[in-house]
Amino acid sequence: MEDVATYYAMFYKQPTGKFVIQVCRTLSCALKGAERVTEEIAHTLHIKPGQTDKTGMFTLLEVECLGACDRAPVVMVNDGWQECQTPQDAVKLLDVIRSKGEAGLSGCVHRVEK
Ligand code: FES
């Protein structure tokens, strides 16, 4: 059982926040600044990757490829992708989630690069 639980990233071994924020750290996203996105989210929530904030609302995780490499950096909040994220976008997203909850998540957000 332990093998299965540790192999699949979608199984959590500890309680998570209501919103699980997964930031891809694989090559395409790394090259497009995913680390800065993670740092900004961590700074804003006063946590480190792998932790849940004090309110129990957000858990921040760094994960491997989420399958949308052409729209890096990719952040997944629960089941919805947020693509082409900047650190500023990620902070705005946290604010929207805080104010609107689940309603603030519109599913996948596809953004075309200019
Ligand atoms: S490298 Fe980030 S989605 Fe594939």
Side-chain angles (χ1 to χ4, degrees):
M1 191 62 142
E2 179 75 11
D3 295 342
V4 173
T6 55
Y7 181 81
Y8 292 101
M10 71 288 281
F11 292 150
Y12 304 116
K13 293 172 59 182
Q14 300 174 358
T16 63
K18 182 174 181 182
F19 297 95
V20 178
I21 302 167
Q22 300 180 68
V23 183
C24 174
R25 65 178 176 194
T26 308
L27 186 60
S28 295
C29 290
L31 291 173
K32 296 283 280 189
E35 189 176 355
R36 285 182 293 286
V37 172
T38 300
E39 287 170 355
E40 192 63 33
I41 294 170
H43 174 77
T44 301
L45 297 176
H46 306 290
I47 59 174
K48 295 177 181 172
Q51 296 180 332
T52 299
D53 75 331
K54 276 194 273 186
T55 67
M57 191 168 191
F58 296 105
T59 297
L60 174 61
L61 300 174
E62 289 181 298
V63 297
E64 302 307 328
C65 184
L66 291 167
C69 316
D70 59 324
R71 287 158 279 167
V74 178
V75 173
M76 183 174 265
V77 181
N78 294 349
D79 296 329
W81 282 339
Q82 311 292 321
E83 301 169 350
C84 303
Q85 289 289 292
T86 66
Q88 295 77 21
D89 292 335
V91 171
K92 283 182 201 165
L93 180 62
L94 295 176
D95 289 341
V96 168
I97 294 170
R98 280 190 188 112
S99 64
K100 297 182 179 176
E102 292 274 348
L105 297 173
S106 56
C108 294
V109 174
H110 301 280
R111 184 182 301 161
V112 176
E113 274 190 83
K114 297 177 185 169

